[in-house]
Amino acid sequence: ATLAALRAGKKVAIANKEALVVGGAVVRAALAEGEPLGAELRPVDSEHSAIWQCLWGEPVEGIGRLTLTASGGAFRDLSLEELEQVTPAQALKHPTWQMGPKVTIDSATLFNKGLEALEARWLFDIPLDRIDVLQHRESVIHSMVTFTDGSVKAQLGEPDMRLPIQVALAYPDRAVAEPAPPLDLAARGALHFSAVDVERYPAMAIALEAGRREDTTAAAVSGADESAVAHFLANRCRFTDIPRLLELALQTHTPTMEPDLDALLAAEALGRQVVDDAVSAGVR
């Protein structure tokens, strides 16, 4: 649907990051094909909306690095030992956002942030090695851009998806309506930041490694995560099994270079199957 809309010259406000994770190259090709007809790709994810807004009016050659922020998810304060025992009900209690089950679990593993880095790579045509992730507990700064002169722009707001949705639909105008409560920094008092603990969040590193290959690997790992999260929610595997299953898909996948859409979708399906077979066999 995304490819057809872009080729037809439509303005696509995209909130489905998997379309870019699985098929970033083919999506950009469709965008290029439809641009003479007026095609646009507008981000709806809050992090990518923030980057997009920071880049309005800025020349591409002035972009240094992109920084995505991550809350850390539901288990950011648990020990690694405690993570082995968490339940789906606990995992679905996100500290700052209200989202669907799949995205909420992906936020707890930080796999979602790895996917968002891949999404940013394709949305803004920036290499992954110039995209960073910073843990920010309050989810007030949604993302930042560092420019080549060292200047940093950030977009701030209350964690409420109504604002980035409105920005995507109203662009290039700023709508008069305030769909979310205005940000009160005095009431907030303080904002906190830290580096991401890769030992706590191995799933993010797996997503990034898959994305660096720019073949069918990201599609396979994305499919594997769909299946792994479903098994966890159904109590067929542990929370800490999710990154182990993703690693299995990463290591066993045979990639196709410069794939077309059929190859990408086949890789996504194979990633699901790898996880299904591993869970059925009791492999953890």
Side-chain angles (χ1 to χ4, degrees), residues 17-18 94 99-108 112 116 229:
K17 63 179 62 66
E18 284 80 5
H94 194 279
M99 305 176 290
K102 168 67 164 57
V103 179
T104 305
I105 302 302
D106 284 346
S107 294
N112 191 55
E116 288 178 0
V229 170

Side-chain angles (χ1 to χ4, degrees), residues 35-60:
E35 279 179 329
L37 302 174
E40 295 178 19
L41 199 56
R42 302 179 181 178
V44 170
D45 265 359
S46 62
E47 296 84 355
H48 303 88
S49 176
I51 292 171
W52 184 43
Q53 292 177 66
C54 289
L55 292 177
W56 290 353
E58 297 284 356
V60 173

Side-chain angles (χ1 to χ4, degrees), residues 1-76:
T2 302
L3 299 180
L6 290 172
R7 288 168 181 154
K10 304 300 182 184
K11 295 172 176 60
V12 177
I14 188 165
N16 173 14
K17 63 179 62 66
E18 284 80 5
L20 285 163
V21 169
V22 170
V26 295
V27 172
R28 286 205 67 88
L31 174 63
E33 185 179 336
E35 279 179 329
L37 302 174
E40 295 178 19
L41 199 56
R42 302 179 181 178
V44 170
D45 265 359
S46 62
E47 296 84 355
H48 303 88
S49 176
I51 292 171
W52 184 43
Q53 292 177 66
C54 289
L55 292 177
W56 290 353
E58 297 284 356
V60 173
E61 57 271 19
I63 303 170
R65 305 190 68 81
L66 310 181
T67 301
L68 303 168
T69 55
S71 70
F75 304 135
R76 61 194 182 189

